[in-house]
Amino acid sequence: MLIADRCAVSIHYTLTDDAGDVLDSSAGREPLTYLHGVGQIVPGLEQALKGRAAGDAFRVDIAPEDGYGPRVDSMVQVVPRAAFQGVARLEPGMQFEASGDQGALSVVITAIDGDSVTVDGNHPLAGQTLHFDVEVTAVREASAEEVLHGHVHGAGGHLH
Ligand code: ZN
């Protein structure tokens, strides 16, 4: 069957950046299983999978707009060290949950200069073109319960 909304789809994938470095891969793991049509994967990849069948293998290049979005400069902010009360030692690369206007946001410390700490709330892959090598390993119709829950059950999905 061809991939369409309300399908449970299993894929193996390798994600590389412009330099060809591997950012993420399902190699050596169970395939990723997702419910098609509900935005569980980035829009560009979901679009590229539509109409494919089990056994299809392809490569797709996804612009930031169809991936994790463009980088937003205003999501980089300098905050005083005092904002990190209870943290004994701050280092670049540390991640924190910040509460913002639109709920919890994951931010990473990118620089520390004396009492000034620079944090970046952009997704790590924002602004990047994504290169996916994908192999569709299985396609089946999702159950009514899976559609209701908005996710897939069983192997590679929710176990409940
Ligand atoms: Zn469920």
Side-chain angles (χ1 to χ4, degrees):
M1 72 184 287
L2 303 181
I3 296 174
D5 288 355
R6 299 175 169 234
C7 281
V9 181
S10 298
I11 58 171
H12 271 302
Y13 67 92
T14 296
L15 168 62
T16 50
D17 62 15
D18 283 335
D21 291 329
V22 175
L23 301 174
D24 190 15
S25 176
S26 65
R29 304 198 308 242
E30 289 296 306
L32 170 73
T33 299
Y34 75 97
L35 178 63
H36 192 85
V38 297
Q40 283 192 329
I41 59 176
V42 294
L45 183 56
E46 190 160 59
Q47 186 62 39
L49 279 158
K50 188 177 177 183
R52 306 272 185 175
D56 283 1
F58 62 96
R59 181 181 171 86
V60 60
D61 304 313
I62 299 172
E65 291 69 27
D66 295 319
Y68 290 97
R71 277 189 62 83
V72 179
D73 288 342
S74 64
M75 291 180 77
V76 179
Q77 295 188 343
V78 178
V79 297
R81 189 180 280 268
F84 298 89
Q85 279 184 13
V87 182
R89 191 180 155 139
L90 296 177
E91 288 178 10
M94 290 174 80
Q95 287 193 338
F96 292 90
E97 292 295 321
S99 51
D101 299 340
Q102 290 162 14
L105 178 70
S106 180
V107 302
V108 62
I109 293 179
T110 55
I112 301 173
D113 180 15
D115 198 40
S116 300
V117 180
T118 304
V119 297
D120 187 347
N122 285 289
H123 188 282
L125 296 179
Q128 290 208 40
T129 300
L130 310 175
H131 308 277
F132 276 101
D133 282 296
V134 180
E135 182 187 355
V136 181
T137 60
V139 183
R140 64 171 171 82
E141 201 171 323
S143 70
E145 191 186 30
E146 288 173 323
V147 171
L148 193 65
H149 287 197
H151 56 229
V152 169
H153 296 154
H158 277 241
L159 301 171
H160 68 160

